[in-house]
Amino acid sequence: MIKIICLGKIKEEYLNNMIKDYQKRISRYHKIEIIELTDSNNLEKEAVDIQKHINSQDYVIALDIDGEIIDSVSLAKKIDQTFLTNSTITFIIGSSFGLHPDIKKRANYRLSFSKMTFPHGLFRGILLEQIYRSFKILNNETYHK
């Protein structure tokens, strides 16, 4: 299973449509769940809320501006290799305040898509697109490039 824990609601309909589209596309390859939590200006509260949705056996990937930057093929390989030993990959997208240090510490891997800052809803769509692209790569299907 792929689980995406994210903070904050998406207000824009066009972003919600993109997110739903990629969620549907991914579901052809793997079970996916998006858990949307309320964001606040309190990182400790957010950390507590996030931890309620992480199981001890989850492989956690924290989306972190200071994480490792990799390409799409490397992400596909990371997902493929992780599923050999873990049944759930949990991606965590923090709020505009980032992620609490406890969440970063719990993460098995910290991933950065860029040193740039993206709007939350757009980034959620970008993450889903990259997960979808990963499955297309892993299945040698046309889409990549």
Side-chain angles (χ1 to χ4, degrees):
M1 170 192 266
I2 292 177
K3 196 171 13 174
I4 299 173
I5 301 172
C6 37
L7 290 132
K9 290 221 174 272
I10 307 298
K11 296 170 188 78
E12 299 85 0
E13 185 177 347
Y14 72 96
L15 291 174
N16 276 316
N17 290 339
M18 176 180 60
I19 290 163
K20 288 176 189 168
D21 179 52
Y22 279 111
Q23 188 174 6
K24 182 179 175 184
R25 291 179 190 210
I26 293 165
S27 70
R28 294 181 195 133
Y29 298 95
H30 216 77
K31 185 175 180 190
I32 181 166
E33 176 184 15
I34 297 177
I35 300 166
E36 194 172 73
L37 303 175
T38 303
D39 59 344
S40 72
N41 60 358
N42 182 335
L43 283 181
E44 285 184 33
K45 181 190 177 314
E46 289 179 354
V48 169
D49 290 345
I50 290 169
Q51 288 169 341
K52 290 177 187 173
H53 298 278
I54 300 173
N55 298 320
S56 60
Q57 57 278 46
D58 288 5
Y59 186 91
V60 176
I61 298 177
L63 284 299
D64 180 5
I65 199 164
D66 295 319
E68 185 176 356
I69 296 175
I70 59 176
D71 62 20
S72 297
V73 173
S74 297
L75 179 60
K77 289 177 184 174
K78 180 84 174 158
I79 288 171
D80 192 39
Q81 290 298 307
T82 301
F83 276 133
L84 293 176
T85 55
N86 300 81
S87 61
T88 301
I89 299 175
T90 299
F91 291 88
I92 302 174
I93 304 172
S95 67
S96 59
F97 298 100
L99 289 170
H100 190 275
D102 288 349
I103 298 299
K104 291 181 184 184
K105 194 182 303 179
R106 167 57 182 90
N108 300 92
Y109 185 70
R110 291 176 24 207
L111 175 64
S112 175
F113 277 31
S114 170
K115 292 293 182 187
M116 295 181 183
T117 302
F118 296 100
H120 183 80
L122 181 60
F123 185 75
R124 194 183 305 182
I126 292 169
L127 172 61
L128 288 165
E129 190 280 334
Q130 285 297 301
I131 293 169
Y132 174 67
R133 181 179 298 273
S134 292
F135 285 116
K136 296 297 267 185
I137 292 168
L138 292 171
N139 287 284
N140 296 314
E141 296 174 1
T142 56
Y143 175 80
H144 182 56
K145 297 195 190 235

